[in-house]
Amino acid sequence: QVQLVESGGGLVQPGGSLSLSCAVSQNINTIDVMGWYRQAPGKQRERVATITYRGTTNYRDSVKARFTISRDNAENTVWLRMDSLKPEDTAIYYCNAKTFIPQGDYWGQGTQVTISS
C-alpha cells in the first residue's frame, strides 16, 4: 500500500518561512512527477509546484521566486521551501505523486499551513 506522509505545516507570520516534506512509502515503480497542491476552504484545489524525476520544476505564477521544490529520488521524498509567505498562502497543502507506467496517482492527507499575524 502506497502512502504519502506530509510534515512541516504550522502557523507562520506574514513574511516568514516554512518547509514541508513528504515521504512516499513502499514504492515499487518510478515516481515520474512529485508535487504540492493546496486548497483553501471553499476554493478549488490548485497546483503549487511540481518536479519531475530528472529535476524539472514548474511553479504557479503566484509562488515563483518565493517557493522552492526539490526531491530525493533515492529517498522518495519531496520538499517545499516556502519563503516570504503571504496570508493568501493559507491552505491545506497536499503532497502528490504520479507514475506513468503503470499509471498511478497518489495523495497525502494534507498538512495545514496558516499565515497570520
Side-chain angles (χ1 to χ4, degrees), residues 24 27-35 50-58 69-79 96-101:
V24 181
N27 184 65
I28 298 176
N29 304 302
T30 299
I31 304 174
D32 294 282
V33 182
M34 304 186 77
T50 60
I51 183 168
T52 69
Y53 186 86
R54 286 178 165 78
T56 300
T57 59
N58 198 328
I69 188 171
S70 59
R71 67 185 287 176
D72 186 329
N73 296 330
E75 298 289 334
N76 287 328
T77 301
V78 62
W79 294 270
N96 173 256
K98 289 184 173 65
T99 59
F100 295 155
I101 303 175

Side-chain angles (χ1 to χ4, degrees), residues 19 44 52 62 64 82 90-91 114:
S19 292
Q44 192 175 45
T52 69
S62 62
K64 287 181 178 178
M82 303 182 290
T90 296
T114 302

Side-chain angles (χ1 to χ4, degrees), residues 11-40:
L11 192 156
V12 181
Q13 293 185 351
S17 299
L18 197 65
S19 292
L20 307 180
S21 65
C22 173
V24 181
S25 66
Q26 299 175 274
N27 184 65
I28 298 176
N29 304 302
T30 299
I31 304 174
D32 294 282
V33 182
M34 304 186 77
W36 291 93
Y37 295 71
R38 67 187 182 187
Q39 187 168 23

